[in-house]
Amino acid sequence: MKTGLVIYSSSIDRLSDFYCHIFGFEVSEHDESYALLTIDEFELVLLETEISKKSTGLNKPREDTPIKPTFFVDMPLEMIQRMIEEKDGFVYEPKGWLFGGRKVCDACDCEGNIFQLRVGEYS
């Protein structure tokens, strides 16, 4: 099954660059109001609207959002953390527990959207 996620953005170029750099997405389509990023069987749509431009605080965690995307990575936590910080995001302290055999850690993208990392065997 192909799946996807939509994130509203104040700057699709900046957020596209973040997700492509960190997780290897490719930009399949884009114009001034949206970007379609793809990897394997997953699509990430970034939408830039007037409301999202006003409501998204750059790098301020949006902790009241009732959904948290999860990304599975197979590289050391220190490496993914460096990559995230290079693009103006940050990584919270690891939660200290495993879920599905992977270390769980939350992070924040360059626009404040919180996501979960599930770090595999290399961490």
PDB file of all heavy atoms in Angstrom, residues 58-89:
ATOM      1  N   LEU A  58       9.228  29.371  12.796  1.00  0.00           N
ATOM      2  CA  LEU A  58      10.445  28.664  12.408  1.00  0.00           C
ATOM      3  C   LEU A  58      11.179  28.146  13.630  1.00  0.00           C
ATOM      4  O   LEU A  58      11.502  28.887  14.543  1.00  0.00           O
ATOM      5  CB  LEU A  58      11.348  29.583  11.580  1.00  0.00           C
ATOM      6  CG  LEU A  58      10.788  30.010  10.232  1.00  0.00           C
ATOM      7  CD1 LEU A  58      11.759  30.940   9.530  1.00  0.00           C
ATOM      8  CD2 LEU A  58      10.488  28.806   9.367  1.00  0.00           C
ATOM      9  N   ASN A  59      11.408  26.855  13.619  1.00  0.00           N
ATOM     10  CA  ASN A  59      12.181  26.150  14.632  1.00  0.00           C
ATOM     11  C   ASN A  59      11.590  26.237  16.036  1.00  0.00           C
ATOM     12  O   ASN A  59      12.263  25.967  17.002  1.00  0.00           O
ATOM     13  CB  ASN A  59      13.633  26.619  14.632  1.00  0.00           C
ATOM     14  CG  ASN A  59      14.573  25.488  14.970  1.00  0.00           C
ATOM     15  OD1 ASN A  59      14.176  24.367  15.211  1.00  0.00           O
ATOM     16  ND2 ASN A  59      15.846  25.805  14.995  1.00  0.00           N
ATOM     17  N   LYS A  60      10.351  26.658  16.184  1.00  0.00           N
ATOM     18  CA  LYS A  60       9.676  26.624  17.477  1.00  0.00           C
ATOM     19  C   LYS A  60       8.781  25.389  17.462  1.00  0.00           C
ATOM     20  O   LYS A  60       7.897  25.274  16.613  1.00  0.00           O
ATOM     21  CB  LYS A  60       8.843  27.884  17.677  1.00  0.00           C
ATOM     22  CG  LYS A  60       8.115  27.903  18.993  1.00  0.00           C
ATOM     23  CD  LYS A  60       7.297  29.150  19.135  1.00  0.00           C
ATOM     24  CE  LYS A  60       6.515  29.051  20.433  1.00  0.00           C
ATOM     25  NZ  LYS A  60       5.406  29.994  20.451  1.00  0.00           N
ATOM     26  N   PRO A  61       9.011  24.440  18.379  1.00  0.00           N
ATOM     27  CA  PRO A  61       8.245  23.190  18.331  1.00  0.00           C
ATOM     28  C   PRO A  61       6.734  23.414  18.384  1.00  0.00           C
ATOM     29  O   PRO A  61       6.236  24.188  19.201  1.00  0.00           O
ATOM     30  CB  PRO A  61       8.721  22.442  19.576  1.00  0.00           C
ATOM     31  CG  PRO A  61      10.048  23.021  19.892  1.00  0.00           C
ATOM     32  CD  PRO A  61       9.986  24.456  19.449  1.00  0.00           C
ATOM     33  N   ARG A  62       6.042  22.750  17.489  1.00  0.00           N
ATOM     34  CA  ARG A  62       4.585  22.839  17.426  1.00  0.00           C
ATOM     35  C   ARG A  62       4.017  21.654  18.211  1.00  0.00           C
ATOM     36  O   ARG A  62       3.523  20.695  17.656  1.00  0.00           O
ATOM     37  CB  ARG A  62       4.149  22.820  15.968  1.00  0.00           C
ATOM     38  CG  ARG A  62       4.718  24.007  15.195  1.00  0.00           C
ATOM     39  CD  ARG A  62       4.449  23.902  13.727  1.00  0.00           C
ATOM     40  NE  ARG A  62       3.050  24.157  13.468  1.00  0.00           N
ATOM     41  CZ  ARG A  62       2.436  23.834  12.346  1.00  0.00           C
ATOM     42  NH1 ARG A  62       3.104  23.241  11.398  1.00  0.00           N
ATOM     43  NH2 ARG A  62       1.170  24.094  12.172  1.00  0.00           N
ATOM     44  N   GLU A  63       4.138  21.733  19.523  1.00  0.00           N
ATOM     45  CA  GLU A  63       3.810  20.625  20.400  1.00  0.00           C
ATOM     46  C   GLU A  63       2.318  20.348  20.521  1.00  0.00           C
ATOM     47  O   GLU A  63       1.925  19.309  21.033  1.00  0.00           O
ATOM     48  CB  GLU A  63       4.439  20.847  21.773  1.00  0.00           C
ATOM     49  CG  GLU A  63       5.962  20.822  21.682  1.00  0.00           C
ATOM     50  CD  GLU A  63       6.660  21.154  22.975  1.00  0.00           C
ATOM     51  OE1 GLU A  63       5.996  21.638  23.911  1.00  0.00           O
ATOM     52  OE2 GLU A  63       7.879  20.925  23.041  1.00  0.00           O
ATOM     53  N   ASP A  64       1.480  21.246  20.039  1.00  0.00           N
ATOM     54  CA  ASP A  64       0.037  21.028  20.144  1.00  0.00           C
ATOM     55  C   ASP A  64      -0.547  20.298  18.932  1.00  0.00           C
ATOM     56  O   ASP A  64      -1.739  20.050  18.867  1.00  0.00           O
ATOM     57  CB  ASP A  64      -0.689  22.351  20.356  1.00  0.00           C
ATOM     58  CG  ASP A  64      -0.431  23.345  19.228  1.00  0.00           C
ATOM     59  OD1 ASP A  64       0.523  23.153  18.453  1.00  0.00           O
ATOM     60  OD2 ASP A  64      -1.185  24.332  19.137  1.00  0.00           O
ATOM     61  N   THR A  65       0.296  19.932  17.976  1.00  0.00           N
ATOM     62  CA  THR A  65      -0.170  19.186  16.810  1.00  0.00           C
ATOM     63  C   THR A  65      -0.444  17.740  17.222  1.00  0.00           C
ATOM     64  O   THR A  65       0.443  17.070  17.741  1.00  0.00           O
ATOM     65  CB  THR A  65       0.875  19.223  15.677  1.00  0.00           C
ATOM     66  OG1 THR A  65       1.136  20.591  15.358  1.00  0.00           O
ATOM     67  CG2 THR A  65       0.380  18.511  14.438  1.00  0.00           C
ATOM     68  N   PRO A  66      -1.675  17.239  16.987  1.00  0.00           N
ATOM     69  CA  PRO A  66      -2.038  15.911  17.495  1.00  0.00           C
ATOM     70  C   PRO A  66      -1.619  14.740  16.613  1.00  0.00           C
ATOM     71  O   PRO A  66      -2.253  13.697  16.623  1.00  0.00           O
ATOM     72  CB  PRO A  66      -3.560  16.000  17.583  1.00  0.00           C
ATOM     73  CG  PRO A  66      -3.930  16.925  16.481  1.00  0.00           C
ATOM     74  CD  PRO A  66      -2.806  17.939  16.406  1.00  0.00           C
ATOM     75  N   ILE A  67      -0.560  14.905  15.855  1.00  0.00           N
ATOM     76  CA  ILE A  67      -0.061  13.815  15.015  1.00  0.00           C
ATOM     77  C   ILE A  67       1.452  13.938  14.929  1.00  0.00           C
ATOM     78  O   ILE A  67       1.998  15.045  14.970  1.00  0.00           O
ATOM     79  CB  ILE A  67      -0.722  13.855  13.608  1.00  0.00           C
ATOM     80  CG1 ILE A  67      -0.420  12.584  12.841  1.00  0.00           C
ATOM     81  CG2 ILE A  67      -0.307  15.093  12.847  1.00  0.00           C
ATOM     82  CD1 ILE A  67      -1.271  12.417  11.595  1.00  0.00           C
ATOM     83  N   LYS A  68       2.115  12.799  14.850  1.00  0.00           N
ATOM     84  CA  LYS A  68       3.570  12.808  14.794  1.00  0.00           C
ATOM     85  C   LYS A  68       4.030  11.801  13.742  1.00  0.00           C
ATOM     86  O   LYS A  68       3.935  10.598  13.944  1.00  0.00           O
ATOM     87  CB  LYS A  68       4.141  12.438  16.157  1.00  0.00           C
ATOM     88  CG  LYS A  68       5.644  12.567  16.257  1.00  0.00           C
ATOM     89  CD  LYS A  68       6.201  12.018  17.557  1.00  0.00           C
ATOM     90  CE  LYS A  68       5.558  12.596  18.765  1.00  0.00           C
ATOM     91  NZ  LYS A  68       6.122  12.038  20.017  1.00  0.00           N
ATOM     92  N   PRO A  69       4.543  12.272  12.607  1.00  0.00           N
ATOM     93  CA  PRO A  69       5.083  11.347  11.613  1.00  0.00           C
ATOM     94  C   PRO A  69       6.274  10.586  12.188  1.00  0.00           C
ATOM     95  O   PRO A  69       6.989  11.094  13.049  1.00  0.00           O
ATOM     96  CB  PRO A  69       5.544  12.249  10.471  1.00  0.00           C
ATOM     97  CG  PRO A  69       5.020  13.598  10.758  1.00  0.00           C
ATOM     98  CD  PRO A  69       4.679  13.660  12.193  1.00  0.00           C
ATOM     99  N   THR A  70       6.477   9.376  11.701  1.00  0.00           N
ATOM    100  CA  THR A  70       7.585   8.540  12.148  1.00  0.00           C
ATOM    101  C   THR A  70       8.446   8.171  10.952  1.00  0.00           C
ATOM    102  O   THR A  70       7.928   7.766   9.917  1.00  0.00           O
ATOM    103  CB  THR A  70       7.054   7.252  12.820  1.00  0.00           C
ATOM    104  OG1 THR A  70       6.233   7.626  13.920  1.00  0.00           O
ATOM    105  CG2 THR A  70       8.190   6.392  13.315  1.00  0.00           C
ATOM    106  N   PHE A  71       9.755   8.329  11.107  1.00  0.00           N
ATOM    107  CA  PHE A  71      10.698   7.984  10.061  1.00  0.00           C
ATOM    108  C   PHE A  71      11.685   6.959  10.624  1.00  0.00           C
ATOM    109  O   PHE A  71      12.246   7.145  11.699  1.00  0.00           O
ATOM    110  CB  PHE A  71      11.447   9.223   9.568  1.00  0.00           C
ATOM    111  CG  PHE A  71      10.545  10.230   8.920  1.00  0.00           C
ATOM    112  CD1 PHE A  71      10.046  11.312   9.632  1.00  0.00           C
ATOM    113  CD2 PHE A  71      10.177  10.089   7.587  1.00  0.00           C
ATOM    114  CE1 PHE A  71       9.209  12.234   9.029  1.00  0.00           C
ATOM    115  CE2 PHE A  71       9.342  11.009   6.979  1.00  0.00           C
ATOM    116  CZ  PHE A  71       8.853  12.080   7.701  1.00  0.00           C
ATOM    117  N   PHE A  72      11.885   5.883   9.883  1.00  0.00           N
ATOM    118  CA  PHE A  72      12.775   4.801  10.277  1.00  0.00           C
ATOM    119  C   PHE A  72      14.131   5.032   9.627  1.00  0.00           C
ATOM    120  O   PHE A  72      14.202   5.210   8.405  1.00  0.00           O
ATOM    121  CB  PHE A  72      12.195   3.456   9.828  1.00  0.00           C
ATOM    122  CG  PHE A  72      10.894   3.130  10.522  1.00  0.00           C
ATOM    123  CD1 PHE A  72       9.696   3.700  10.104  1.00  0.00           C
ATOM    124  CD2 PHE A  72      10.876   2.255  11.595  1.00  0.00           C
ATOM    125  CE1 PHE A  72       8.506   3.406  10.741  1.00  0.00           C
ATOM    126  CE2 PHE A  72       9.688   1.953  12.242  1.00  0.00           C
ATOM    127  CZ  PHE A  72       8.497   2.526  11.813  1.00  0.00           C
ATOM    128  N   VAL A  73      15.180   5.055  10.432  1.00  0.00           N
ATOM    129  CA  VAL A  73      16.517   5.292   9.900  1.00  0.00           C
ATOM    130  C   VAL A  73      17.470   4.193  10.361  1.00  0.00           C
ATOM    131  O   VAL A  73      17.354   3.690  11.474  1.00  0.00           O
ATOM    132  CB  VAL A  73      17.065   6.683  10.304  1.00  0.00           C
ATOM    133  CG1 VAL A  73      16.256   7.794   9.659  1.00  0.00           C
ATOM    134  CG2 VAL A  73      17.095   6.868  11.800  1.00  0.00           C
ATOM    135  N   ASP A  74      18.375   3.842   9.485  1.00  0.00           N
ATOM    136  CA  ASP A  74      19.385   2.837   9.785  1.00  0.00           C
ATOM    137  C   ASP A  74      20.768   3.465   9.688  1.00  0.00           C
ATOM    138  O   ASP A  74      21.547   3.161   8.786  1.00  0.00           O
ATOM    139  CB  ASP A  74      19.261   1.639   8.833  1.00  0.00           C
ATOM    140  CG  ASP A  74      18.027   0.818   9.112  1.00  0.00           C
ATOM    141  OD1 ASP A  74      17.710   0.612  10.301  1.00  0.00           O
ATOM    142  OD2 ASP A  74      17.372   0.387   8.156  1.00  0.00           O
ATOM    143  N   MET A  75      21.018   4.390  10.595  1.00  0.00           N
ATOM    144  CA  MET A  75      22.330   5.024  10.720  1.00  0.00           C
ATOM    145  C   MET A  75      22.486   5.437  12.170  1.00  0.00           C
ATOM    146  O   MET A  75      21.497   5.517  12.895  1.00  0.00           O
ATOM    147  CB  MET A  75      22.460   6.223   9.774  1.00  0.00           C
ATOM    148  CG  MET A  75      21.558   7.392  10.101  1.00  0.00           C
ATOM    149  SD  MET A  75      21.800   8.849   9.058  1.00  0.00           S
ATOM    150  CE  MET A  75      21.181   8.278   7.486  1.00  0.00           C
ATOM    151  N   PRO A  76      23.696   5.696  12.616  1.00  0.00           N
ATOM    152  CA  PRO A  76      23.886   6.106  14.003  1.00  0.00           C
ATOM    153  C   PRO A  76      23.092   7.372  14.331  1.00  0.00           C
ATOM    154  O   PRO A  76      22.985   8.286  13.500  1.00  0.00           O
ATOM    155  CB  PRO A  76      25.387   6.361  14.108  1.00  0.00           C
ATOM    156  CG  PRO A  76      25.987   5.544  13.009  1.00  0.00           C
ATOM    157  CD  PRO A  76      24.960   5.565  11.903  1.00  0.00           C
ATOM    158  N   LEU A  77      22.558   7.428  15.534  1.00  0.00           N
ATOM    159  CA  LEU A  77      21.780   8.590  15.974  1.00  0.00           C
ATOM    160  C   LEU A  77      22.604   9.866  15.853  1.00  0.00           C
ATOM    161  O   LEU A  77      22.094  10.902  15.432  1.00  0.00           O
ATOM    162  CB  LEU A  77      21.300   8.389  17.416  1.00  0.00           C
ATOM    163  CG  LEU A  77      20.488   9.536  18.014  1.00  0.00           C
ATOM    164  CD1 LEU A  77      19.239   9.819  17.178  1.00  0.00           C
ATOM    165  CD2 LEU A  77      20.106   9.226  19.454  1.00  0.00           C
ATOM    166  N   GLU A  78      23.881   9.802  16.172  1.00  0.00           N
ATOM    167  CA  GLU A  78      24.740  10.991  16.095  1.00  0.00           C
ATOM    168  C   GLU A  78      24.814  11.526  14.667  1.00  0.00           C
ATOM    169  O   GLU A  78      24.860  12.729  14.443  1.00  0.00           O
ATOM    170  CB  GLU A  78      26.151  10.675  16.611  1.00  0.00           C
ATOM    171  CG  GLU A  78      26.208  10.290  18.070  1.00  0.00           C
ATOM    172  CD  GLU A  78      25.757   8.844  18.348  1.00  0.00           C
ATOM    173  OE1 GLU A  78      25.774   7.998  17.429  1.00  0.00           O
ATOM    174  OE2 GLU A  78      25.371   8.571  19.501  1.00  0.00           O
ATOM    175  N   MET A  79      24.826  10.635  13.691  1.00  0.00           N
ATOM    176  CA  MET A  79      24.911  11.052  12.289  1.00  0.00           C
ATOM    177  C   MET A  79      23.609  11.734  11.843  1.00  0.00           C
ATOM    178  O   MET A  79      23.648  12.809  11.239  1.00  0.00           O
ATOM    179  CB  MET A  79      25.201   9.854  11.390  1.00  0.00           C
ATOM    180  CG  MET A  79      25.323  10.215   9.918  1.00  0.00           C
ATOM    181  SD  MET A  79      25.604   8.763   8.879  1.00  0.00           S
ATOM    182  CE  MET A  79      27.312   8.441   9.263  1.00  0.00           C
ATOM    183  N   ILE A  80      22.480  11.124  12.159  1.00  0.00           N
ATOM    184  CA  ILE A  80      21.204  11.738  11.751  1.00  0.00           C
ATOM    185  C   ILE A  80      20.990  13.055  12.499  1.00  0.00           C
ATOM    186  O   ILE A  80      20.463  14.011  11.954  1.00  0.00           O
ATOM    187  CB  ILE A  80      20.014  10.748  11.914  1.00  0.00           C
ATOM    188  CG1 ILE A  80      18.737  11.281  11.247  1.00  0.00           C
ATOM    189  CG2 ILE A  80      19.704  10.456  13.362  1.00  0.00           C
ATOM    190  CD1 ILE A  80      18.668  11.091   9.792  1.00  0.00           C
ATOM    191  N   GLN A  81      21.442  13.116  13.755  1.00  0.00           N
ATOM    192  CA  GLN A  81      21.326  14.353  14.524  1.00  0.00           C
ATOM    193  C   GLN A  81      22.122  15.476  13.868  1.00  0.00           C
ATOM    194  O   GLN A  81      21.636  16.593  13.734  1.00  0.00           O
ATOM    195  CB  GLN A  81      21.797  14.130  15.960  1.00  0.00           C
ATOM    196  CG  GLN A  81      21.657  15.366  16.824  1.00  0.00           C
ATOM    197  CD  GLN A  81      21.948  15.090  18.283  1.00  0.00           C
ATOM    198  OE1 GLN A  81      22.214  13.954  18.683  1.00  0.00           O
ATOM    199  NE2 GLN A  81      21.890  16.123  19.089  1.00  0.00           N
ATOM    200  N   ARG A  82      23.348  15.184  13.442  1.00  0.00           N
ATOM    201  CA  ARG A  82      24.155  16.202  12.750  1.00  0.00           C
ATOM    202  C   ARG A  82      23.467  16.689  11.483  1.00  0.00           C
ATOM    203  O   ARG A  82      23.445  17.886  11.185  1.00  0.00           O
ATOM    204  CB  ARG A  82      25.538  15.645  12.409  1.00  0.00           C
ATOM    205  CG  ARG A  82      26.570  15.840  13.469  1.00  0.00           C
ATOM    206  CD  ARG A  82      27.996  15.591  12.981  1.00  0.00           C
ATOM    207  NE  ARG A  82      28.181  14.332  12.269  1.00  0.00           N
ATOM    208  CZ  ARG A  82      28.408  13.159  12.853  1.00  0.00           C
ATOM    209  NH1 ARG A  82      28.471  13.077  14.156  1.00  0.00           N
ATOM    210  NH2 ARG A  82      28.579  12.073  12.127  1.00  0.00           N
ATOM    211  N   MET A  83      22.912  15.755  10.718  1.00  0.00           N
ATOM    212  CA  MET A  83      22.236  16.119   9.473  1.00  0.00           C
ATOM    213  C   MET A  83      21.034  17.026   9.761  1.00  0.00           C
ATOM    214  O   MET A  83      20.798  18.010   9.046  1.00  0.00           O
ATOM    215  CB  MET A  83      21.783  14.864   8.734  1.00  0.00           C
ATOM    216  CG  MET A  83      22.921  14.028   8.208  1.00  0.00           C
ATOM    217  SD  MET A  83      22.382  12.429   7.572  1.00  0.00           S
ATOM    218  CE  MET A  83      21.434  12.939   6.133  1.00  0.00           C
ATOM    219  N   ILE A  84      20.270  16.706  10.797  1.00  0.00           N
ATOM    220  CA  ILE A  84      19.095  17.502  11.162  1.00  0.00           C
ATOM    221  C   ILE A  84      19.521  18.892  11.617  1.00  0.00           C
ATOM    222  O   ILE A  84      18.927  19.900  11.207  1.00  0.00           O
ATOM    223  CB  ILE A  84      18.269  16.764  12.242  1.00  0.00           C
ATOM    224  CG1 ILE A  84      17.586  15.542  11.611  1.00  0.00           C
ATOM    225  CG2 ILE A  84      17.263  17.688  12.907  1.00  0.00           C
ATOM    226  CD1 ILE A  84      16.952  14.583  12.605  1.00  0.00           C
ATOM    227  N   GLU A  85      20.553  18.971  12.433  1.00  0.00           N
ATOM    228  CA  GLU A  85      21.020  20.265  12.916  1.00  0.00           C
ATOM    229  C   GLU A  85      21.603  21.120  11.794  1.00  0.00           C
ATOM    230  O   GLU A  85      21.480  22.345  11.824  1.00  0.00           O
ATOM    231  CB  GLU A  85      22.034  20.068  14.042  1.00  0.00           C
ATOM    232  CG  GLU A  85      21.369  19.543  15.301  1.00  0.00           C
ATOM    233  CD  GLU A  85      22.342  19.136  16.392  1.00  0.00           C
ATOM    234  OE1 GLU A  85      23.582  19.128  16.147  1.00  0.00           O
ATOM    235  OE2 GLU A  85      21.854  18.814  17.498  1.00  0.00           O
ATOM    236  N   GLU A  86      22.225  20.504  10.788  1.00  0.00           N
ATOM    237  CA  GLU A  86      22.745  21.249   9.634  1.00  0.00           C
ATOM    238  C   GLU A  86      21.641  21.997   8.905  1.00  0.00           C
ATOM    239  O   GLU A  86      21.894  23.002   8.242  1.00  0.00           O
ATOM    240  CB  GLU A  86      23.408  20.293   8.642  1.00  0.00           C
ATOM    241  CG  GLU A  86      24.747  19.776   9.052  1.00  0.00           C
ATOM    242  CD  GLU A  86      25.259  18.686   8.109  1.00  0.00           C
ATOM    243  OE1 GLU A  86      24.579  18.347   7.114  1.00  0.00           O
ATOM    244  OE2 GLU A  86      26.347  18.149   8.384  1.00  0.00           O
ATOM    245  N   LYS A  87      20.410  21.477   8.994  1.00  0.00           N
ATOM    246  CA  LYS A  87      19.276  22.084   8.290  1.00  0.00           C
ATOM    247  C   LYS A  87      18.327  22.783   9.263  1.00  0.00           C
ATOM    248  O   LYS A  87      17.131  22.923   9.012  1.00  0.00           O
ATOM    249  CB  LYS A  87      18.529  21.026   7.477  1.00  0.00           C
ATOM    250  CG  LYS A  87      19.361  20.458   6.338  1.00  0.00           C
ATOM    251  CD  LYS A  87      19.674  21.537   5.321  1.00  0.00           C
ATOM    252  CE  LYS A  87      20.499  20.993   4.176  1.00  0.00           C
ATOM    253  NZ  LYS A  87      20.783  22.044   3.187  1.00  0.00           N
ATOM    254  N   ASP A  88      18.886  23.236  10.396  1.00  0.00           N
ATOM    255  CA  ASP A  88      18.152  24.053  11.376  1.00  0.00           C
ATOM    256  C   ASP A  88      17.047  23.329  12.131  1.00  0.00           C
ATOM    257  O   ASP A  88      16.129  23.956  12.637  1.00  0.00           O
ATOM    258  CB  ASP A  88      17.601  25.331  10.735  1.00  0.00           C
ATOM    259  CG  ASP A  88      18.713  26.220  10.204  1.00  0.00           C
ATOM    260  OD1 ASP A  88      19.768  26.285  10.858  1.00  0.00           O
ATOM    261  OD2 ASP A  88      18.523  26.830   9.139  1.00  0.00           O
ATOM    262  N   GLY A  89      17.136  22.021  12.219  1.00  0.00           N
ATOM    263  CA  GLY A  89      16.238  21.267  13.083  1.00  0.00           C
ATOM    264  C   GLY A  89      16.982  20.878  14.347  1.00  0.00           C
ATOM    265  O   GLY A  89      18.125  21.292  14.559  1.00  0.00           O
TER     266      GLY A  89
END
